[in-house]
Amino acid sequence: MTIAVATALGATAPAKPAAKTAAPVSKSAAPSKAPAKSPAAAKPAAKTAAPADTTPAPARKPYANVFADGPGRPIADGACLLCHSPMLVTQQAKDSAAWEKTLTQMIGWGSPVTTAQRDTLRRYLLGHYGTHPPTVK
Amino acid sequence: MSRMDRRSFLRAVARAGLSAAALASFPPALRAALAAAKPAAGAAPDTSGPPEMIVRNDRPEHWETTLEALGRSWITRNDRFFVRSHLSVPTPDLDAWRLEVSGLVHSPLSLTLAQARALPLETDAVTLECAGNGRGLMKLPSTAGTQWGRGAVGNASWTGVRLARLLERAGVAPEAKHVWFEALDQATFPGPPPFLRSIPIEKAMDDVLLALAMNDERLSPLHGAPLRAIVPGWYGMASTKWVTRVRLEDHPSDSFFMAKGYHYVYPGEDPAAAPPVETMRVKSVITRPIDGSEVQLAPRTDNKKKPRLRVQGFAWAGPAGVRLVEVSSDGGKSWFPAGFMGDMAKGAWRAWATEFEVTPPARFALMARATGNDGDVQPLEARPNGSGYANNSIHKVTVRVRLAT
């Protein structure tokens, strides 16, 4: 496999060092000219490799799996959790119109929200899961 | 809901810590079952889950592969393969299960699982990518749906019945233009639309598989057991899981997930004219080094040459296939081609790698850009669309390099 990589590098790696460009970041990174010969350098993907686990990292669950406390929480619990977990909601960052669109769709699909509850729920969702800058964790 | 589904559903609801008012709104049968599920008092944070996966939603399952795990092999292990389900995972009675071919065919078919497994089987390596992969990284005023990072993609070896052979056996009527995949998954609650999708007959007669096995193991429930569609080159939503009926029609399915969902609705444009999400866009992902990591490099033995940093990943480009991957270490001013390596299959991604000479200590950003055989080039920033589909923006990782001591 090392040889295959070396060939690929030899065939495609450019001869012109990137250090000649003006970019500061590239001064410390120039593409290699020569085919790699060090076995340590190459660790290509195996064909059907199913590498043995050593100590696999545990699952990452980046979002809260309970709704935030607040006056709309009982409505959110009752309306949303029949079909999906809170994470699907707690990872969102939506403005009022976007939450309204979601409510219309979910109520249309049978989510048990009464007319009286709807505004409270929208305010609750907007208050806790409004348009703060979303970040992928 | 099957027994298993119900149990895991109850566990999930119990973990969610429902308020008394919410419980009161549930149907009596569900309330009683919840009471019996007995959530532990003062339960610790839930740390259970699949290793090396990012659980973006636990019910239904939306699991993303970490790039560390994804990068290990051209074939993605079954227990590291991303999962995206719309509804509850069905657990059908396999003795009663049938694969039906119906609609605009001359001879409708109804096959038992044993009969399906006895058909001539073919194996293809096919890369599947969720249409929402990268959605969480797309700059949108409001989010929509699961906020996937970069790991809702994987490559597996799928074994099954070639759909074209099955359709030839049934005899396709000339007016049949679309193939509908009807599946067994259902919502836990009446109301949500079924996940029903269709593909054009031309695609169905080309390279589509009805897969029974994934990486030489029978399909697991999460991945569509006992049988799923594999539609090479299309985003994952086309590869319907838990298929039980293949129906030929003269028109595409008008289900929610065809007619409304899975369209590119660009801001300011008429949603009614939005193009459908179909084939995968050209894309590459850097799996080594990992963004934000520190890499220690051994000095070269002759002490005169600079140490080298290896950069590698995967690239794919829908039906066209990928032609080129280039890597930049200067913010995209200059690009250098990487080498392809390892296996090559029509519907599968390609592994690529290159090396950069570096002078540690250093900190720099690496970018990878793929080009398809059709000439499409991966953009610096994909054009945002309301649902965040098909984000193929160029992947950029920042890495610190030190000399090993």
Side-chain angles (χ1 to χ4, degrees):
Chain A
M1 291 304 268
T2 302
I3 291 164
V5 174
T7 307
L9 282 171
T12 60
K16 193 167 135 191
K20 285 183 182 165
T21 67
V25 78
S26 72
K27 295 222 161 123
S28 59
S32 68
K33 287 184 194 177
K37 287 200 174 108
S38 158
K43 198 177 175 186
K47 185 180 178 183
T48 53
D53 280 338
T54 47
T55 43
R60 278 169 52 198
K61 297 191 168 181
Y63 316 113
N65 212 8
V66 289
F67 282 121
D69 282 331
R73 179 177 168 185
I75 305 171
D77 282 341
C80 310
L81 303 189
L82 282 175
C83 286
H84 58 80
S85 52
M87 302 171 89
L88 202 53
V89 176
T90 62
Q91 66 188 280
Q92 304 298 331
K94 301 189 190 205
D95 62 19
S96 184
W99 275 123
E100 188 55 38
K101 190 177 161 195
T102 301
L103 287 180
T104 300
Q105 182 169 80
M106 295 302 152
I107 292 166
W109 288 355
S111 178
V113 181
T114 65
T115 311
Q117 291 172 325
R118 186 172 173 145
D119 269 356
T120 309
L121 180 57
R122 186 177 47 76
R123 277 198 301 276
Y124 168 81
L125 292 170
L126 187 63
H128 292 279
Y129 314 108
T131 50
H132 55 83
T135 48
V136 169
K137 297 187 218 173
Chain B
M1 195 179 337
S2 75
R3 187 172 286 269
M4 275 305 287
D5 283 341
R6 190 169 190 89
R7 212 159 41 216
S8 55
F9 168 72
L10 291 174
R11 266 203 307 271
V13 173
R15 278 203 303 273
L18 292 181
S19 63
L23 282 169
S25 74
F26 281 23
L30 190 55
R31 275 207 308 273
L34 275 169
K38 285 181 193 162
D46 176 19
T47 55
S48 65
E52 298 194 301
M53 302 294 275
I54 305 165
V55 177
R56 299 217 176 265
N57 195 43
D58 64 1
R59 183 176 57 87
E61 298 82 359
H62 298 174
W63 299 354
E64 173 176 339
T65 313
T66 60
L67 295 188
E68 289 93 333
L70 200 67
R72 269 187 220 118
S73 50
W74 185 70
I75 289 285
T76 313
R77 284 167 51 146
N78 289 357
D79 60 0
R80 300 291 189 278
F81 206 97
F82 82 94
V83 178
R84 200 288 189 234
S85 301
H86 287 77
L87 306 166
S88 288
V89 174
T91 48
D93 173 357
L94 296 184
D95 292 329
W97 183 91
R98 294 289 183 277
L99 173 61
E100 295 181 3
V101 180
S102 65
L104 297 170
V105 292
H106 299 306
S107 322
L109 304 175
S110 177
L111 305 173
T112 66
L113 188 52
Q115 288 170 326
R117 285 174 176 158
L119 291 170
L121 301 180
E122 299 182 41
T123 299
D124 290 334
V126 174
T127 297
L128 296 186
E129 182 186 16
C130 177
N133 194 27
R135 176 185 290 134
L137 304 153
M138 198 174 256
K139 293 178 182 71
L140 294 166
S142 277
T143 58
T146 301
Q147 300 298 295
W148 298 103
R150 289 191 170 79
V153 60
N155 185 51
S157 170
W158 308 96
T159 299
V161 183
R162 187 74 64 196
L163 178 57
R165 300 292 89 75
L166 198 66
L167 294 182
E168 284 161 6
R169 182 182 285 222
V172 177
E175 59 272 29
K177 297 287 181 252
H178 295 269
V179 175
W180 300 26
F181 294 123
E182 294 182 1
L184 292 168
D185 46 336
Q186 291 183 336
T188 54
F189 186 80
F195 187 76
L196 175 59
R197 298 268 316 170
S198 65
I199 58 171
I201 188 78
E202 295 77 17
K203 182 64 179 170
M205 295 304 287
D206 182 14
D207 54 359
V208 174
L209 274 178
L210 296 179
L212 292 153
M214 175 181 187
N215 296 333
D216 302 322
E217 290 174 11
R218 283 185 176 165
L219 283 181
S220 66
L222 274 176
H223 291 289
L227 180 141
R228 70 174 298 173
I230 293 293
V231 181
W234 286 48
Y235 281 109
M237 78 281 145
S239 294
T240 311
K241 299 192 276 191
W242 310 294
V243 170
T244 189
R245 184 179 295 121
V246 175
R247 206 165 98 200
L248 279 80
E249 295 288 346
D250 61 2
H251 61 287
S253 161
D254 57 358
S255 77
F256 174 85
F257 293 104
M258 283 294 288
K260 288 193 126 179
Y262 295 106
H263 280 76
Y264 296 109
V265 181
Y266 295 107
E269 294 190 6
D270 178 13
V277 175
E278 291 180 342
T279 58
M280 294 191 288
R281 290 176 175 172
V282 61
K283 187 167 176 178
S284 60
V285 63
I286 299 170
T287 58
R288 177 180 166 180
I290 294 294
D291 187 34
S293 64
E294 180 178 291
V295 179
Q296 295 205 8
L297 294 177
R300 299 281 295 273
T301 47
D302 57 13
N303 271 331
K304 291 195 174 149
K305 290 182 177 165
K306 293 174 180 174
R308 287 179 180 159
L309 173 69
R310 185 175 176 82
V311 184
Q312 68 184 45
F314 298 107
W316 60 100
V322 70
R323 177 168 69 82
L324 173 70
V325 174
E326 300 160 292
V327 181
S328 174
S329 63
D330 60 4
K333 290 188 195 69
S334 49
W335 295 89
F336 300 95
F340 287 122
M341 58 186 191
D343 295 75
M344 187 173 175
K346 185 170 160 262
W349 62 17
R350 294 221 66 189
W352 56 265
T354 191
E355 292 184 339
F356 284 88
E357 288 188 341
V358 296
T359 309
R363 182 180 183 279
F364 49 91
L366 296 160
M367 296 157 79
R369 177 176 76 184
T371 301
N373 284 313
D374 53 5
D376 278 358
V377 182
Q378 202 179 341
L380 197 59
E381 285 283 346
R383 186 181 171 200
N385 61 88
S387 295
Y389 290 127
N391 184 357
N392 66 337
S393 302
I394 283 174
H395 187 192
K396 181 176 179 178
V397 303
T398 307
V399 62
R400 283 168 291 132
V401 180
R402 291 188 188 285
L403 207 56
T405 48

